[in-house]
Amino acid sequence: MTSSARPYRGIFPVVPTTFTESGELDIASYKRALEFMIDAGVDGLAILANFSEQFSVSDDERQVLTRTALEHVAGRVPVIVTTSHYATGICVERSRLAAEMGAAMVMVMPPYHGATFRVPEARMFEFFQRLSDALDIPIMIQDAPASGVALSPEFLARMAREIAHVAYFKIETAGAANKLRELIRLGGDAVEGPWDGEEGITLLADLEAGATGAMTGGGFPDGIRPILEAFRQGNRDEAFRVYQRWLPLINHENRQAGLLAAKALMKEGGIISCEAGRHPMPPMHPATRQQLIEIARRLDPLVLRWNA
């Protein structure tokens, strides 16, 4: 799959944000992670996503991480920058800065804050309309359970049809495949990028439903990319075979290890110096980490030998 120009397709994994043991940004490790992921055959990258721990970095650090990533990648692959914020004006400003620095796309969750502060559809529409008016790059709406916001296929399709730069959708909710089918049916050509998320745990079903991209964890893109390639070429048996092989690791990341999985793999492979999240994020249970590494070693991913 090629992603050198729109429509962006293929695998765009999430880059982990690396910290030191004391919780400072580790920029040297961050650059090595970026380089490894490019070598692993990504079609593009996503930074400052939830799996990048975007919720634990300051606004100043966001700018440092965005500039570092875009300057280091230097156009070799497109970079999606997450710019989510509840306040429309802040999201717009974050997105403008990302675009000025060279982001290919911004990814944005609908405005939310806990279970109490919900935003009606009319205001959500205005939120994305104002964001689109401020940009000349595409917007990906992230439809994820973390927001607790219900986004119907009808509403998403309406935004695709009526808001100029809303063109990509990362669907991570329960029943993602059916939602993708309905979104594609209702949105037609306005849905430029129906994408899979949630670490690829529903990847085959989502590809069958029409997904053209996948935003996964960053630890083993060399394992995920051949699934998308085989499916794109019409070889569904091969796509199934490769997915079946990697599914234990995909499942362990999604259901057991979570966002620290990519960091643990990169630390084990000598790519990054520290795998910890920022306090108060708890460390991965040692037994969960051991099983993660044992599963990975059976598959021989690049992450465990890239720095050899």
Side-chain angles (χ1 to χ4, degrees), residues 251-278:
N251 181 77
H252 196 76
E253 176 181 39
N254 179 265
R255 293 290 188 260
Q256 307 297 330
L259 63 81
L260 294 178
K263 284 187 176 182
L265 290 167
M266 290 182 186
K267 175 65 164 61
E268 189 72 17
I271 297 168
I272 67 174
S273 299
C274 173
E275 64 191 76
R278 266 186 171 163

Short mmCIF file of all heavy atoms in Angstrom, two decimals, residues 251-278:
data_model
loop_
_atom_site.label_atom_id
_atom_site.label_comp_id
_atom_site.label_asym_id
_atom_site.label_seq_id
_atom_site.Cartn_x
_atom_site.Cartn_y
_atom_site.Cartn_z
N ASN A 251 -3.46 -9.63 20.23
CA ASN A 251 -4.40 -9.80 21.33
C ASN A 251 -3.76 -9.44 22.68
O ASN A 251 -4.38 -8.79 23.52
CB ASN A 251 -4.90 -11.25 21.37
CG ASN A 251 -5.89 -11.49 22.49
OD1 ASN A 251 -7.05 -11.12 22.38
ND2 ASN A 251 -5.44 -12.11 23.55
N HIS A 252 -2.50 -9.85 22.86
CA HIS A 252 -1.84 -9.58 24.14
C HIS A 252 -1.64 -8.08 24.33
O HIS A 252 -1.80 -7.56 25.44
CB HIS A 252 -0.50 -10.31 24.21
CG HIS A 252 0.05 -10.41 25.60
ND1 HIS A 252 -0.44 -11.28 26.54
CD2 HIS A 252 1.04 -9.71 26.22
CE1 HIS A 252 0.23 -11.14 27.67
NE2 HIS A 252 1.13 -10.19 27.51
N GLU A 253 -1.30 -7.38 23.26
CA GLU A 253 -1.17 -5.93 23.36
C GLU A 253 -2.52 -5.30 23.69
O GLU A 253 -2.64 -4.47 24.59
CB GLU A 253 -0.63 -5.35 22.06
CG GLU A 253 -0.57 -3.83 22.06
CD GLU A 253 -0.06 -3.24 20.76
OE1 GLU A 253 -0.41 -3.75 19.69
OE2 GLU A 253 0.69 -2.25 20.84
N ASN A 254 -3.56 -5.68 22.94
CA ASN A 254 -4.86 -5.03 23.08
C ASN A 254 -5.55 -5.36 24.39
O ASN A 254 -6.17 -4.49 25.01
CB ASN A 254 -5.75 -5.41 21.90
CG ASN A 254 -7.12 -4.79 21.98
OD1 ASN A 254 -8.06 -5.40 22.47
ND2 ASN A 254 -7.24 -3.56 21.51
N ARG A 255 -5.44 -6.60 24.84
CA ARG A 255 -6.22 -7.04 25.98
C ARG A 255 -5.44 -7.14 27.29
O ARG A 255 -6.03 -7.18 28.36
CB ARG A 255 -6.85 -8.41 25.68
CG ARG A 255 -7.91 -8.39 24.60
CD ARG A 255 -9.16 -7.66 25.09
NE ARG A 255 -10.26 -7.79 24.15
CZ ARG A 255 -10.63 -6.87 23.27
NH1 ARG A 255 -9.96 -5.73 23.22
NH2 ARG A 255 -11.65 -7.06 22.45
N GLN A 256 -4.12 -7.18 27.22
CA GLN A 256 -3.33 -7.39 28.44
C GLN A 256 -2.33 -6.26 28.71
O GLN A 256 -2.33 -5.67 29.78
CB GLN A 256 -2.57 -8.73 28.35
CG GLN A 256 -3.43 -9.93 28.02
CD GLN A 256 -4.47 -10.22 29.09
OE1 GLN A 256 -4.28 -9.94 30.27
NE2 GLN A 256 -5.60 -10.80 28.67
N ALA A 257 -1.47 -5.99 27.75
CA ALA A 257 -0.34 -5.08 28.00
C ALA A 257 -0.69 -3.62 27.78
O ALA A 257 -0.11 -2.73 28.42
CB ALA A 257 0.84 -5.47 27.12
N GLY A 258 -1.59 -3.33 26.85
CA GLY A 258 -2.01 -1.96 26.62
C GLY A 258 -0.94 -1.08 26.00
O GLY A 258 -0.04 -1.54 25.30
N LEU A 259 -1.03 0.22 26.29
CA LEU A 259 -0.18 1.18 25.59
C LEU A 259 1.30 1.05 25.93
O LEU A 259 2.15 1.61 25.23
CB LEU A 259 -0.66 2.61 25.83
CG LEU A 259 -0.67 3.20 27.23
CD1 LEU A 259 0.71 3.70 27.63
CD2 LEU A 259 -1.67 4.35 27.30
N LEU A 260 1.64 0.33 27.00
CA LEU A 260 3.05 0.14 27.32
C LEU A 260 3.69 -1.00 26.53
O LEU A 260 4.89 -1.21 26.62
CB LEU A 260 3.21 -0.12 28.83
CG LEU A 260 2.86 1.05 29.75
CD1 LEU A 260 3.02 0.65 31.20
CD2 LEU A 260 3.71 2.28 29.43
N ALA A 261 2.89 -1.73 25.74
CA ALA A 261 3.43 -2.87 25.00
C ALA A 261 4.53 -2.45 24.03
O ALA A 261 5.60 -3.08 23.99
CB ALA A 261 2.30 -3.59 24.24
N ALA A 262 4.27 -1.42 23.23
CA ALA A 262 5.27 -1.00 22.25
C ALA A 262 6.56 -0.56 22.94
O ALA A 262 7.67 -0.88 22.48
CB ALA A 262 4.73 0.13 21.39
N LYS A 263 6.41 0.15 24.06
CA LYS A 263 7.60 0.58 24.79
C LYS A 263 8.38 -0.61 25.33
O LYS A 263 9.62 -0.64 25.28
CB LYS A 263 7.21 1.50 25.94
CG LYS A 263 6.82 2.91 25.53
CD LYS A 263 6.64 3.73 26.80
CE LYS A 263 6.34 5.18 26.48
NZ LYS A 263 6.22 5.97 27.70
N ALA A 264 7.68 -1.59 25.88
CA ALA A 264 8.37 -2.76 26.43
C ALA A 264 9.13 -3.49 25.33
O ALA A 264 10.28 -3.92 25.53
CB ALA A 264 7.36 -3.70 27.10
N LEU A 265 8.52 -3.64 24.17
CA LEU A 265 9.20 -4.30 23.05
C LEU A 265 10.41 -3.49 22.59
O LEU A 265 11.48 -4.04 22.32
CB LEU A 265 8.22 -4.51 21.89
CG LEU A 265 7.12 -5.54 22.14
CD1 LEU A 265 6.03 -5.43 21.07
CD2 LEU A 265 7.69 -6.96 22.15
N MET A 266 10.25 -2.18 22.51
CA MET A 266 11.36 -1.33 22.08
C MET A 266 12.48 -1.31 23.11
O MET A 266 13.66 -1.25 22.74
CB MET A 266 10.85 0.08 21.79
CG MET A 266 9.98 0.19 20.56
SD MET A 266 9.47 1.90 20.23
CE MET A 266 8.32 1.65 18.86
N LYS A 267 12.13 -1.34 24.38
CA LYS A 267 13.16 -1.41 25.42
C LYS A 267 13.88 -2.75 25.35
O LYS A 267 15.12 -2.81 25.45
CB LYS A 267 12.52 -1.21 26.80
CG LYS A 267 13.48 -1.39 27.99
CD LYS A 267 14.55 -0.31 27.99
CE LYS A 267 15.26 -0.21 29.34
NZ LYS A 267 15.97 -1.48 29.71
N GLU A 268 13.14 -3.82 25.19
CA GLU A 268 13.73 -5.15 25.10
C GLU A 268 14.69 -5.24 23.92
O GLU A 268 15.73 -5.90 23.99
CB GLU A 268 12.64 -6.21 24.97
CG GLU A 268 13.11 -7.64 25.08
CD GLU A 268 13.51 -8.04 26.49
OE1 GLU A 268 13.13 -7.33 27.46
OE2 GLU A 268 14.19 -9.09 26.64
N GLY A 269 14.35 -4.56 22.83
CA GLY A 269 15.19 -4.57 21.64
C GLY A 269 16.30 -3.53 21.66
O GLY A 269 17.05 -3.41 20.67
N GLY A 270 16.41 -2.76 22.72
CA GLY A 270 17.49 -1.78 22.82
C GLY A 270 17.27 -0.51 22.04
O GLY A 270 18.21 0.28 21.84
N ILE A 271 16.03 -0.26 21.62
CA ILE A 271 15.75 0.94 20.82
C ILE A 271 15.56 2.15 21.71
O ILE A 271 16.05 3.25 21.40
CB ILE A 271 14.49 0.70 19.95
CG1 ILE A 271 14.75 -0.44 18.96
CG2 ILE A 271 14.11 1.98 19.20
CD1 ILE A 271 13.50 -0.93 18.26
N ILE A 272 14.86 1.98 22.81
CA ILE A 272 14.63 3.08 23.75
C ILE A 272 15.26 2.73 25.10
O ILE A 272 15.52 1.56 25.39
CB ILE A 272 13.14 3.42 23.89
CG1 ILE A 272 12.37 2.28 24.58
CG2 ILE A 272 12.53 3.75 22.54
CD1 ILE A 272 10.91 2.61 24.88
N SER A 273 15.45 3.75 25.90
CA SER A 273 16.17 3.55 27.17
C SER A 273 15.26 3.23 28.34
O SER A 273 15.70 2.63 29.32
CB SER A 273 16.99 4.81 27.49
OG SER A 273 17.95 5.04 26.47
N CYS A 274 14.01 3.65 28.27
CA CYS A 274 13.09 3.47 29.40
C CYS A 274 11.70 3.21 28.86
O CYS A 274 11.25 3.88 27.92
CB CYS A 274 13.09 4.72 30.29
SG CYS A 274 11.86 4.73 31.60
N GLU A 275 11.01 2.23 29.44
CA GLU A 275 9.68 1.86 28.95
C GLU A 275 8.55 2.39 29.83
O GLU A 275 7.38 2.10 29.58
CB GLU A 275 9.56 0.35 28.85
CG GLU A 275 9.66 -0.39 30.17
CD GLU A 275 9.80 -1.90 29.98
OE1 GLU A 275 10.91 -2.34 29.62
OE2 GLU A 275 8.80 -2.60 30.18
N ALA A 276 8.88 3.15 30.84
CA ALA A 276 7.86 3.60 31.80
C ALA A 276 6.99 4.69 31.22
O ALA A 276 7.42 5.51 30.41
CB ALA A 276 8.54 4.10 33.07
N GLY A 277 5.74 4.69 31.67
CA GLY A 277 4.88 5.83 31.44
C GLY A 277 5.11 6.85 32.55
O GLY A 277 5.88 6.61 33.48
N ARG A 278 4.46 7.97 32.44
CA ARG A 278 4.59 9.00 33.47
C ARG A 278 3.70 8.68 34.66
O ARG A 278 2.58 8.20 34.49
CB ARG A 278 4.20 10.36 32.91
CG ARG A 278 5.40 11.14 32.41
CD ARG A 278 5.03 12.54 31.98
NE ARG A 278 6.25 13.30 31.72
CZ ARG A 278 6.29 14.43 31.03
NH1 ARG A 278 5.18 14.92 30.52
NH2 ARG A 278 7.42 15.06 30.83
#
